């Protein structure tokens, strides 16, 4: 298989579009507020273009740019998503990460605007790599400051909330990153509902450690 076919083919680009459409169909996202990136070989990444409705996207509109360095135009391309900086920074900081998914799920956003992380209220917290789902500090969307906050929050996590903004999830495949985003929204909804009827009883660190160990062999695998 040639380099172009293996590393930057239409199937990879279409998979990003399909995932974007699925986010909106499932209610995880709305409009064009979400964005997705995929690492490809050769030190590059693919990312959704800025401001293009998902229904109007075609594979050639997906932007190719380096994982390290400014997104210099590679031929005649669309501009990358306004959030390219934290996508790029996460892929650069986490070599095992292959996909980054950002969206504005309503329950995640509800917690984020209250500057609330998700504590160990359910064993599914372990799906995100630690004892909680952290909250990244607020900064202007698309800024280097926001990128730094997201990378800090996700140093040892596979998902976080973003203060007054939305959520980010990563994965060793796009399918796994999408799975985490759906699970994060459900977890956020559960936590909000639990707080509405009482005080959630949190799992102990030892109980979450057991769940983390169990999750090591759970779920979708890298091809």
């Amino acid at each position: 298989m040639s380099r172009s076919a293996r590393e930057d083919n239409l199937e990879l680009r279409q998979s990003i579009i399909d995932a974007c459409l699925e986010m909106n169909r499932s209610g995880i996202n709305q409009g064009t507020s979400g964005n997705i990136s995929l690492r490809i070989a050769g030190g590059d990444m693919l990312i959704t273009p800025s401001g293009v409705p998902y229904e109007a996207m075609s594979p050639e509109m997906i932007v190719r740019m380096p994982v390290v360095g400014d997104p210099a135009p590679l031929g005649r391309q669309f501009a990358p998503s306004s959030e390219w900086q934290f996508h790029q920074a996460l892929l650069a900081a986490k070599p095992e990460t292959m996909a980054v998914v950002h969206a504005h799920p309503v329950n995640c956003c509800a917690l984020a605007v209250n500057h609330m992380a998700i504590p160990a209220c359910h064993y599914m917290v372990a799906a995100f790599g630690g004892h909680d789902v952290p909250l990244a500090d607020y900064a202007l969307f698309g800024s280097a400051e926001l990128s730094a906050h997201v990378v800090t929050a996700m140093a040892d996590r596979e998902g976080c909330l973003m203060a007054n903004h939305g959520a980010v999830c990563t994965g060793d495949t796009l399918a796994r990153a999408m799975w985490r985003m759906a699970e994060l929204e459900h977890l956020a909804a559960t936590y909000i509902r639990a707080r509405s009827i009482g005080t959630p009883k949190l799992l102990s660190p030892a109980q979450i450690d057991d769940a983390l160990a169990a999750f090591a062999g759970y779920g979708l695998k890298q091809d």
Side-chain angles (χ1 to χ4, degrees), residues 13-203:
R13 291 167 175 262
Q14 186 62 50
S15 72
I16 293 175
I17 298 170
D18 292 344
C20 287
L21 291 168
E22 177 57 28
M23 285 200 300
N24 280 13
R25 276 195 300 267
S26 66
I28 288 174
N29 194 61
Q30 53 287 318
T32 60
S33 55
N35 29 77
I36 291 175
S37 62
L38 276 178
R39 184 194 303 275
I40 58 175
D44 286 346
M45 57 185 271
L46 299 174
I47 189 168
T48 45
S50 178
V52 179
Y54 302 150
E55 295 80 2
M57 274 188 203
S58 58
E60 59 271 16
M61 293 179 183
I62 301 298
V63 180
R64 182 171 182 162
M65 59 174 283
V67 170
V68 177
D70 292 334
L74 296 173
R76 299 180 64 182
Q77 291 197 120
F78 283 73
S81 165
S82 61
E83 302 289 14
W84 67 265
Q85 292 197 70
F86 72 68
H87 283 264
Q88 184 190 57
L90 285 170
L91 291 173
K94 298 163 78 72
E96 73 286 358
T97 292
M98 299 302 292
V100 179
V101 174
H102 167 55
H104 293 177
V106 65
N107 290 289
C108 289
C109 289
L111 293 176
V113 299
N114 282 292
H115 289 206
M116 297 169 67
I118 302 178
C121 60
H122 192 286
Y123 75 84
M124 282 301 295
V125 164
F128 302 92
H131 288 222
D132 66 356
V133 178
L135 176 79
D137 291 341
Y138 177 77
L140 180 67
F141 74 92
S143 67
E145 184 181 8
L146 176 60
S147 176
H149 291 331
V150 169
V151 170
T152 296
M154 293 184 64
D156 57 356
R157 295 290 192 276
E158 300 287 354
C160 77
L161 304 179
M162 306 162 70
N164 304 94
H165 191 150
V168 184
C169 289
T170 54
D172 56 1
T173 64
L174 177 54
R176 195 165 181 87
M178 288 285 290
W179 169 76
R180 283 199 175 102
M181 185 60 76
E183 292 294 338
L184 182 55
E185 173 63 355
H186 184 74
L187 184 61
T190 298
Y191 183 50
I192 290 170
R193 185 75 61 88
R195 285 175 58 90
S196 75
I197 61 173
T199 301
K201 307 301 182 184
L202 302 185
L203 297 173

